[in-house]
Amino acid sequence: MLDTVRKTLSLSQRRQFESFGAKINKFGFNFAVFNTTDEIVLLCEGGKYKSNPEQLSILSRQVLCQFSEKRYSDETSIPVWRFGDTNIVLAVVLKSARISNKDGEILGTALIDLGDISCPNIIPANDTNSLNPVQMDSNYLAEMLELLVEKYQAETKSEKQIEMVGIELSQTYEELVLLHKLSTNMKVTESDANFLQMACDSLTEIVCVEGIAILLEKTIDDKQQLVVTAGSGLIDIDEQTAAILHSGLMEEINSGKEALLDSEVDSAFKYEWPDNINNIIAVPLCGKEKKESGITGKSENVNCIMGLMVAINRIGKQDFDSTDIKLFNSVAGGCAVFIQNGELFKDLKELFIGSLKALTSSIDAKDKYTHGHSERVAFISRWIAEKLSDREQLDEEQIHMVYLAGLLH
C-alpha cells in the first residue's frame, strides 16, 4: 500500500523516496518522510500494520532537536536514531551536502517503522556499544538509511551545481545581450546623453544596485569638472564625492587595479563617502587624446580618462566582486568608444562643412553681387526647416541636409 502526500518534495526527490519506501515495504516495514514543520510528506506502508503518523511526527521532532543540539557537520558520519527497545523505529535527518562553504539545508527526516512504538528512549543506532540481538537486526536497516542520506546528498548537490551553472550561463547570456545592444546602438546621430542613459538603464536590469551614474569631464567656467551625464536609481553625486571618486580611482589604477572597490565588509572604508553608501564601485571611461611628445615633437595618442561609471549599494550580494568589475569595465569601454566616435564624427563634420564654405565662398567671390549668397540661402533654408519642424516631424539630420542643400545650390 502506497500513500503519498505531495508536500515540499521535488519530483526527483519524491521518486527517490518512493523507490526506497517500496524496498522497505518488501521487508514488511513502513517508511515515512517528514518535513521540518513536522508534516508528513510521504508514507509507504507494507500492509502488515498501520503506522501512527502523530507518534512518528513526535519522534521526527525529537530527532531534529537532537540533531540541532549536537550540531553535526557535513563531514561527520551520518547519525541514525533508534526509538524503542523491542518495537523499533529508526530515523535519520535528511540534509543536503555542503556546497561552496555553505552548510547543507535540512529537508526533514526519514523514518523506518518496524512495528508499534513503545518506550521511546533515544539511542544512536550506529553506536556499537552494548548491542543486543534486536539492535543487530535493526543495524541493517540503519545502514540502508545511511545510504539513503548519502544518495540524497549526492543528488541534491548535483542538482544545486547544475542550477548554479544554469544561473551563471543565464547571467553570461544577459551580459552578452547587453554588450551587443550597446554595439548595435552606436549610431553617430545618437546623442551622448541618450546612449549613456540607455547603458545605465540596461546595466541595472542585469546588476541589481541602488543607483548607477556616468560622469564626464566638462569645462565649466574654464575649469575641468566631473558632471553627471546619465544615471539610474537612487544616487546623488555632489562635487565633493565626484572629486573623491576621481582621485581614488586614479590612485587604484596607478596601483595596477582595474577599478575602485570600497566597502565595510572586510575592513573600514578606505575613502570617505556619504552615509547612505554601503559599498561602491567605480570604473574609468578611457579614451585617446593627442599630445605633443617632448622627445620627438610629434603628436601622439595617449590614454586619458574622460569620465567614470559609478554604482552604489550592491543588492543581493555583500559587495561588488570581480565579475562586476569585468562587466562594468566592458560597458564603460563601450561608452568611451561611442563618445570618442562621436567626437571624431563631429570633427569630420566640421571639416566637411568648412571645406564646403570655403568652396562656395570662392565661387561667390567672383562677383560682388553674389558674394555671401550661398551662405545666406543656406541660413534661410535652415531657418525655414526649423520652423517647419514645428508642424511636421523633422530631425536634426534632415534639417542639416537642408542647410547643406542651400549651401550647394
Side-chain angles (χ1 to χ4, degrees), residues 30 32 49 51-52 55-56 59-60 63 80-92 110-118 120-123 125 138 145:
N30 298 344
Y49 52 87
S51 293
N52 187 336
Q55 186 64 40
L56 292 179
L59 298 178
S60 174
V63 169
V80 180
W81 304 100
R82 183 180 63 254
F83 297 83
D85 294 327
T86 54
N87 298 323
I88 299 174
V89 173
L90 302 174
V92 69
L111 301 93
I112 297 178
D113 183 5
L114 283 72
D116 294 333
I117 301 171
S118 64
N121 299 317
I122 303 178
I123 310 170
S138 66
L145 281 177

Side-chain angles (χ1 to χ4, degrees), residues 32 76 113 146 156-157 177 201 267 275 313 337 348 371 376:
T76 60
D113 183 5
E146 289 182 29
T156 53
K157 185 176 182 179
V177 169
D201 294 338
S267 59
D275 295 336
N313 299 344
V337 169
L348 288 173
H371 181 69
R376 289 192 298 271

Side-chain angles (χ1 to χ4, degrees), residues 120-135:
N121 299 317
I122 303 178
I123 310 170
N126 44 3
D127 184 357
T128 57
N129 295 326
S130 305
L131 293 179
N132 57 40
V134 178
Q135 292 171 340

Side-chain angles (χ1 to χ4, degrees), residues 285-306:
L285 270 68
C286 296
K288 299 282 187 180
E289 67 177 2
K290 288 187 176 181
K291 283 190 177 181
E292 186 174 312
S293 173
I295 300 175
T296 63
K298 298 180 180 179
S299 295
E300 295 180 352
N301 289 327
V302 296
N303 292 325
C304 67
I305 294 180
M306 63 180 70

Side-chain angles (χ1 to χ4, degrees), residues 5-198:
V5 182
R6 298 182 178 180
K7 299 177 183 177
T8 71
L9 289 180
S10 67
L11 180 60
S12 61
Q13 290 172 344
R14 186 168 62 249
R15 288 176 176 173
Q16 177 184 349
F17 293 138
E18 286 177 351
S19 175
F20 182 83
K23 294 177 182 178
I24 296 300
N25 292 160
K26 291 180 180 179
F27 293 100
F29 305 127
N30 298 344
F31 175 71
V33 176
F34 286 80
N35 61 20
T36 54
T37 57
D38 305 328
E39 294 178 305
I40 188 169
V41 294
L42 179 67
L43 177 60
C44 303
E45 295 184 325
K48 291 185 177 181
Y49 52 87
K50 290 283 187 179
S51 293
N52 187 336
E54 291 76 14
Q55 186 64 40
L56 292 179
S57 175
I58 294 173
L59 298 178
S60 174
R61 173 50 46 190
Q62 291 183 32
V63 169
L64 290 175
C65 291
Q66 288 277 329
F67 189 87
S68 177
E69 289 173 1
K70 294 190 176 183
R71 298 186 180 183
Y72 292 93
S73 68
D74 291 333
E75 289 76 18
T76 60
S77 60
I78 300 169
V80 180
W81 304 100
R82 183 180 63 254
F83 297 83
D85 294 327
T86 54
N87 298 323
I88 299 174
V89 173
L90 302 174
V92 69
V93 174
L94 297 171
K95 183 179 181 182
S96 60
R98 181 188 294 268
I99 299 178
S100 301
N101 296 324
K102 292 184 179 180
D103 200 9
E105 180 184 4
I106 296 177
L107 172 69
T109 58
L111 301 93
I112 297 178
D113 183 5
L114 283 72
D116 294 333
I117 301 171
S118 64
C119 302
N121 299 317
I122 303 178
I123 310 170
N126 44 3
D127 184 357
T128 57
N129 295 326
S130 305
L131 293 179
N132 57 40
V134 178
Q135 292 171 340
M136 289 293 292
D137 293 338
S138 66
N139 277 352
Y140 294 110
L141 295 174
E143 290 180 7
M144 292 180 67
L145 281 177
E146 289 182 29
L147 293 174
L148 172 67
V149 176
E150 289 178 359
K151 184 179 179 182
Y152 167 73
Q153 290 181 346
E155 291 189 359
T156 53
K157 185 176 182 179
S158 299
E159 290 175 358
K160 193 66 177 178
Q161 289 174 336
I162 292 173
E163 181 183 353
M164 291 170 63
V165 170
I167 293 173
E168 290 177 0
L169 288 175
S170 175
Q171 181 75 12
T172 303
Y173 173 76
E174 290 178 352
E175 292 173 4
L176 291 174
V177 169
L178 169 59
L179 297 177
H180 179 263
K181 183 178 180 180
L182 291 178
S183 63
T184 54
N185 281 276
M186 284 188 181
K187 301 175 182 178
V188 292
T189 55
E190 188 75 51
S191 68
D192 289 353
N194 288 342
F195 182 85
L196 297 179
Q197 186 60 50
M198 182 269 294

